[in-house]
Structure formats: C-alpha cells, structure tokens
Amino acid sequence: MLRHIRLTNFRKFDAYSIPLKGGNIFVGPNNAGKSAVIDAIRIVDSCFRYARLRVPQVLQLDGGEVFDGHLIPENRIPVNLSHSTHNYNEDDAVLEFTHVNGARAVVLINPERPVRFYIDADGRRLNSVSHFAGAFPIHFLIVPTLAPLEQEERWVEDETIRRSEASRTASRHLRNVWFRKTQAEFAEFSADIAHAWPGIIVQQPERQRGNQAMLEMFYDENRIAREIQWSGFGFQVWLQLLTHLRRAMPHSIVVVDEPDIYLHPDIQKKLLRFVRDRYEQFIFATHSVEIINEADPLEIISVNSNYRSAKRITSEEDYNRIYSYVGSSQNVDFARVAKSRRVIFVEGDDRRLFQILARRLGLENLAIGAVPFIKLGGFEGWERALNAVWAFREILDIDIEVFCLFDKDYRPSSEIAAFEQRLREAGLRCHVLERKEIENYLLEVRPLLEAVKRRARDRQREQPTDNIIEGWLNEATASVKHRVVSRLSARHVEYSRTVGDRRDMATVNEETQREFELLWERLQDRFNIVPGKEVLSRFNEILQRENVGGLTHRMIVDSMGRDDIDQNFRAILEEINDFCSHPH
C-alpha cells in the first residue's frame, strides 16, 4: 500500500506532494495535473513489471549515492516521456513513491539518458530479484482505456491474450479471455454482473456454430438471449471493468482514470462501492459529482499544480467548495451570465460553428456571442441546466433564462419527444437536433460540390466533376456505415427496454435496420445519421489525398445559400437569436 507520492520537476509540477490513504479520489479543474499523476503511476508500474524478472544492477546517482536498481528501456514504458520535465529544463524528473513500510521507489527521467529506477530501503542491499521485490511489496491494477467491444471476435492464441489483457487493445479479446476461464471463475464473474445489472445473466463464450474460428458470448435478459455486441456501451464497459478488476488481488492498488466517461451515474456509484469493498487501496481521477457524492469526504483529494501539495478534504466547508467547482467544471463565466442573464447550454464545443452559421443567415445577436455558451455534456447533464437556474436565483439573487440544445445522436424519435416534453415541464426551453450533431448540417450535397470546386480553382487544380465528388462523399460515409447501424440498433434496443417495450429485441433490431437501409440509399438522407464531425474529417483526408485541399467549416458555409441550411435547423437558429436579443 502506498503512503505518499512526490513529483519533482515532472510536467506541470515543480515540486508536488500527495498524501494517500486507502481510498483516494482525485478531483480538480481541467488541466490541473490529475492525468500527470495517473501517468506517473503508469510509469512506476511499468518499472516494477520490468524489474520482476531481472536481477538489479548497481546505479550511481549524480550526487554519488549508490542503489540497487534498473535501467528501464523507454519502449517498456506505456507513456510518452518526451515532455516529462517541468518547463523542458535539463534536470531529472523525479517520481517518488513511498510504501507504508517506509521504503521509497524512485524513477528518474531525463531526455539525455535511460530511465533509472531504484528502491531505497534504509540502505539495505537489494541485489536479487526476490530482495528487490520484497523491499517494496506492491501490485498495481491500472484499468486501461476502454472501447466498444468487437462485433466479431476470432479465437486467438494464449500469447496474444497475455500481451493485450492489460492494454488498450483488451476490448478486442474479451470473449477470448472468458473462453479460457474455468466454470467457477466465470460463475463468480457472472454473479458480479448480475448484482449490478439485475435481470441479466451472462453466458460463458463458446465457439460459433458453423465457424469454429469465431467466438460468441451471449447474455440473457427477460429470457431472451442476445450476443453482447447488441448491448449498450455502458454494459459493454461494465463487462470490461469487471474483467480487468478480476486481475487484481485484495492487496492491489486499483487505478481508474475518469470512469465517469463511460458509465451511467448509478453504475459509477456501484463501481466505487465495488472497488472500495474488495481492494485495500484505490485511486480514481474524476469530474463526476455522482462519485464525489458517494465518496466518504476523507477520500477526496484536490489536485492542483498551482499549489505545493494536494489537499485532502477535512471539513464540510472543504467538501462543499470542491463539490461546487466540480459541479461547474466547464469554467462558467459567471460575470457574463450575470450580465446577460441568459445562458445557452449545448452538448459540445459548438459556439464557433453556431456563430459562423449565424453570420451567414444575418442573425446578428447570435453571431456576436452576447450570450455565453456552456458545454452541458449530453442528455444526462440536463439537470445541471435546471440547477444553474436555481443557483443563480437562490445564491446570487439573479434570475436567468436558459436555452438548451442537444444532439440527436443515435436516439429514436420517441425518446427525443419524451425528453423534450420532460424539460419543458421543468420550465426549460429546449430543442433536440433532427440530425445526429451540428456538423451534420454542413453535410449538404450542393454546397459541398461548390466548395470543393472552388477550393480546386483557388489552388489552380483541375476541377473534379460532380460524380467524382459524390464518389468521395460516398467513400467518406462508407467508412462509418457498420458502426452507425450498430449504434442505432443498440440505442433503440436500450430505449425499448427502458420504457418497458414488450416486443422481442430482435424485432426492434430488424425494424431499426430496415429504417437504416432506407436512409442509407440516398446520400443526402444518409447525411442525417452519420457522425458529421468524423465524416467531414474523413472527407478532408480524401480531398488531401486527391490533391484538392481540405475544407474548413467557413468554406462550406460560404458556399451555402439560405435555402441550403435545413429549414428546421434554421428555425432553431432564429429562435436562439431571438433568445439572445430578448430583454430580461
């Protein structure tokens, strides 16, 4: 178990101290240094893994001290070390970890020489593998970056599983991992899944009938069996989390970076309880108010590189202060909100594109940005908008008006209608886009054809024909086709289950796929459902490949006439413009 971390001359930290207990939940503003602390843990973990199979050598430090340790090859460390030193100076970056037994594990990083790793155990010689490991008995379980599961998974060799099980590629082999486990091991895993997701029973993977090279893994819900590829992303992530956590031992230090990215608030709380109950020490880095609410106050640590040490919460006043700034982690400009007494909540960093479109339509109040935009973070964040109204009224004695705009994403129309009704009943002005996200409104065939030709003309290149450009657009959308239908089906199934739809989930999938195929036939209809930001990026890659040159958002909008901007979206922009100009 770790007692203390000290970072010297490492990235954002000049000299920074972090006291640790059994439970440690790092919170802090964006860019405060939480990720740097997690990377420091990844580095020392990789050093211990390298050292477990190698006899230590004698290291002499610059000050003349001698320790038993290792020179760690940079390719054995899963973190980019090129910018490790604070303000790019020439001194060593020093990562120091103190065990509860008093021993120190130290990593020295310098761009001019190999990474040095040693243990200081009161001067004792640690010149064997067993002595070195025994001086600092520790085991990290660091949950890697998670991703959706593979739709199809081939059986792979044991060595492939061994190399990938703790890496970012682990999501490719979940079925392979559990295919190899004993029935007893899988029964424990299945019980843990059922505890968090009542009514769901996971079946052990098996070889696909008719194709022994492929593996399948089914789960039963309401007596209906489905392959796990049809489950929602949250469930897929939970399967992976518990798979990784089962590699841990009771004395392991479990490290999870930003679990709130993947999980529904209720599951975030269950994750915290699960880890706290089973493991001796854990470290979370998070912005999640749900996790902070679930935590014991003494588990919360404020990390901020502007100070000399992390601060563990010790009073109710400290707890409320941390809660308030995490709850408004988007760095809201309260002065601007108070001045305009209006705020526009959007899902992402959409303000600039809104302003470009507003200028094209002559919507002056929206174009000048008089009303601040605040990133809300999706459907699940709508209550923050409601809380903002209450906070300004009750705490600052200021009445504000709120306008909420959400992406459609892959949600069915019935879910969107219910969501809009819910927000309006709560007193919030709200719209959900009819296309997947705001960038989809730039995907209009005629303006794109004109913009590409204009770009080619400006660069004195041969102008491609309409058919060629449409072929490139088809290529850009084809790259996301299978993912789009998968996400649409998964979301429709998940929502049907949520509202108690009695139809068989296979029926819901079939209906969703029929609707998808109809939309996919025509390029302009296809543009409504693809991930707009990604397709535009892919289209630009194709234009660069064809030596035409990429398109900016402004270039596309400049090729649009008023009628090229979707009529319903244009009405929303006009409504927001009116909202920006309306006197309070």
Side-chain angles (χ1 to χ4, degrees), residues 260-421:
D260 37 302
I261 291 177
Y262 318 114
L263 299 175
H264 183 278
D266 288 342
I267 303 300
Q268 294 175 32
K269 296 175 185 177
K270 289 180 180 179
L271 173 63
L272 176 58
R273 291 194 291 266
F274 183 92
V275 170
R276 182 194 287 136
D277 291 344
R278 299 201 180 196
Y279 306 108
E280 185 176 57
Q281 188 171 42
F282 65 88
I283 296 171
F284 282 15
T286 184
H287 283 290
S288 170
V289 174
E290 285 74 20
I291 288 178
I292 293 170
N293 278 337
E294 186 67 23
D296 294 328
L298 288 178
E299 291 175 336
I300 301 172
I301 302 176
S302 171
V303 174
N304 193 323
S305 59
N306 292 326
Y307 301 101
R308 301 289 293 181
S309 65
K311 177 176 174 57
R312 191 172 289 273
I313 307 309
T314 58
S315 69
E316 189 69 24
E317 181 181 354
D318 289 336
Y319 185 81
N320 289 335
R321 187 182 302 117
I322 295 297
Y323 181 95
S324 72
Y325 85 67
V326 173
S328 57
S329 63
Q330 302 306 320
N331 298 319
V332 179
D333 188 340
F334 288 104
R336 290 190 64 211
V337 174
K339 181 179 179 180
S340 67
R341 302 204 172 191
R342 288 181 295 279
V343 62
I344 300 168
F345 284 103
V346 292
E347 282 205 30
D349 299 319
D350 300 331
R351 179 184 60 82
R352 182 171 176 79
L353 182 50
F354 272 110
Q355 290 178 313
I356 292 172
L357 288 163
R359 291 190 187 99
R360 189 63 176 166
L361 292 169
L363 303 176
E364 183 177 348
N365 295 300
L366 177 55
I368 63 175
V371 175
F373 281 66
I374 296 177
K375 183 177 177 181
L376 197 56
F379 272 34
E380 296 78 12
W382 75 271
E383 289 185 339
R384 276 194 55 213
L386 197 61
N387 291 339
V389 174
W390 179 90
F392 273 87
R393 182 187 302 122
E394 300 298 325
I395 298 175
L396 303 178
D397 196 28
I398 297 173
D399 283 325
I400 64 169
E401 295 180 54
V402 169
F403 194 110
C404 298
L405 188 64
F406 295 88
D407 297 339
K408 180 180 181 181
D409 207 21
Y410 298 105
R411 296 177 175 86
S413 299
S414 54
E415 179 181 4
I416 289 169
F419 177 78
E420 288 182 326
Q421 180 65 25

Side-chain angles (χ1 to χ4, degrees), residues 239-253:
L239 289 174
Q240 294 176 69
L241 278 168
L242 290 197
T243 299
H244 287 297
L245 290 173
R246 292 194 69 81
R247 293 189 290 107
M249 296 170 279
H251 65 275
S252 293
I253 301 173

